[in-house]
Amino acid sequence: MTWIRPLAAHAERPCTLVVCRGCCCGDPRKNPGSDHAGQLARLREAAAASEGRLAVRTSDCLGPCAQANVIVVQPTTEARRRGARAAWFGWALDDTATDEVIAWARSGGPGVTPVPATLDLHRIDPPKSGSESGSGSGSGSGTKAKGRTRRKR
């Protein structure tokens, strides 16, 4: 007799910040005036202080290299059920952009809180089909790009 193992219920996913750290994003040679390591540290600190309401992942490459640094804010599981989709931001190179991303994600992010006007200036279109890198946005959701998203444990 073959036993079929039941699928485990998936935990509710928090608002997740996917930070590109591939060939261009996070590269001091491309954007030498930016503190790339400091930005990632600040995002991780915000996630640690959120008591599980925020998560941070890094990706080898999200695709829109000309708009580095790219951060994708993914909605919570509940917001996604209500139709929310990931929001893509580019040119997130300074403390102000990082602060705005953190503040918006803390307030709930996509599907919960409208994007503030100043953060909306950083909004970019996700890459076309085949380049979403697992971000869950667009019709190509689940396809893989150049890199894989990995979770910091």
Side-chain angles (χ1 to χ4, degrees):
M1 172 179 250
T2 303
W3 291 94
I4 299 175
R5 187 173 166 206
L7 295 175
H10 286 69
E12 295 290 310
R13 186 162 83 178
C15 184
T16 303
L17 308 175
V18 181
V19 184
C20 187
R21 284 298 180 254
C23 62
C24 297
C25 295
D27 185 345
R29 291 171 297 179
K30 181 169 183 169
N31 294 297
S34 298
D35 181 5
H36 302 285
Q39 179 188 52
L40 187 55
R42 289 182 61 221
L43 294 169
R44 287 181 173 156
E45 288 167 9
S50 75
E51 299 177 355
R53 292 185 314 275
L54 293 179
V56 174
R57 291 179 167 199
T58 58
S59 174
D60 290 335
C61 184
L62 290 171
C65 298
Q67 298 160 331
N69 288 342
V70 175
I71 300 174
V72 179
V73 182
Q74 297 176 325
T76 64
T77 302
E78 181 56 34
R80 186 174 295 280
R81 283 187 197 119
R82 293 190 313 261
R85 293 294 170 251
W88 288 65
F89 300 98
W91 302 289
L93 295 166
D94 59 18
D95 288 340
T96 302
T98 303
D99 290 342
E100 290 173 350
V101 169
I102 291 169
W104 184 57
R106 278 184 181 150
S107 71
V112 177
T113 306
V115 178
T118 52
L119 183 57
D120 198 42
L121 295 172
H122 288 275
R123 193 184 293 245
I124 61 173
D125 291 327
K128 299 299 176 209
S129 151
S131 299
E132 279 90 8
S133 189
S135 70
S137 67
S139 61
S141 180
T143 59
K144 293 182 182 173
K146 296 179 194 174
R148 290 181 45 123
T149 303
R150 60 184 182 267
R151 177 176 280 165
K152 173 75 176 171
R153 299 241 181 226

